[in-house]
Amino acid sequence: MSVIHVNQIKTQIQRIFKDLIDLSDISNSSQESKENFFISRGLAAYSIYYLANITPKEAATSITDGGDDNGIDAIYFDNSNKKLYIVQSKWIRDGIGEPENGDVKKFVAGVRDLFNMEYDRFNMKIISKKN
């Protein structure tokens, strides 16, 4: 993916999710780090926003990224269609590369733990969605 495409995606995420993505758990980070967290979380929210056809605000509340997220960055259950969306996102600033193997394995293990209802392996953002 070219830098032009990456910048278009970044701009769209910033436009749609401005002031909607919670970053309170990373308040001690540098401005660059905060921006990367915002874009990565925004990418997860955008996936749900697009696939589930919900509002940006609803998609932003699906974010579960943070410590002890077990590789799961967003969860949304569409009750009317009985679909569960589980997202793991990685923002790669230059558009070259792919998620690390360890990140993929962590996500798979997280999905397995979620389906086995092993909530002690998750943060409060995920635990609050268990119903």
Side-chain angles (χ1 to χ4, degrees):
M1 188 176 306
S2 75
V3 172
I4 293 171
H5 291 115
V6 171
N7 285 333
Q8 288 175 331
I9 293 167
K10 178 180 174 183
T11 299
Q12 187 76 338
I13 289 170
Q14 289 171 327
R15 185 185 65 76
I16 293 172
F17 294 104
K18 183 181 189 308
D19 299 325
L20 295 177
I21 303 292
D22 179 22
L23 298 174
S24 62
D25 59 322
I26 56 155
S27 58
N28 293 332
S29 299
S30 70
Q31 189 60 33
E32 181 180 347
S33 181
K34 285 181 185 178
E35 182 177 319
N36 286 335
F37 273 105
F38 174 82
I39 299 299
S40 182
R41 290 177 181 185
L43 190 58
Y46 185 84
S47 299
I48 290 177
Y49 160 77
Y50 180 80
L51 293 170
N53 196 28
I54 59 176
T55 67
K57 187 174 183 176
E58 288 174 302
T61 62
S62 73
I63 301 299
T64 58
D65 179 52
D68 297 324
D69 65 15
N70 212 349
I72 297 174
D73 294 334
I75 297 174
Y76 177 75
F77 181 68
D78 181 347
N79 197 33
S80 62
N81 292 317
K82 305 296 184 219
K83 288 185 179 180
L84 178 64
Y85 298 89
I86 304 171
V87 177
Q88 209 282 332
S89 67
K90 284 290 177 232
W91 177 249
I92 301 173
R93 188 187 324 203
D94 61 7
I96 300 170
E98 56 192 38
E100 299 283 329
N101 188 32
D103 292 331
V104 175
K105 287 181 179 181
K106 183 177 179 183
F107 175 70
V108 170
V111 170
R112 189 175 300 117
D113 290 342
L114 188 65
F115 288 170
N116 289 328
M117 295 183 278
E118 298 193 37
Y119 298 113
D120 59 317
R121 299 181 180 182
F122 294 102
N123 62 27
M124 287 308 298
K125 292 177 185 180
I126 293 175
I127 292 170
S128 70
K129 297 179 180 305
K130 71 180 184 180
N131 290 335

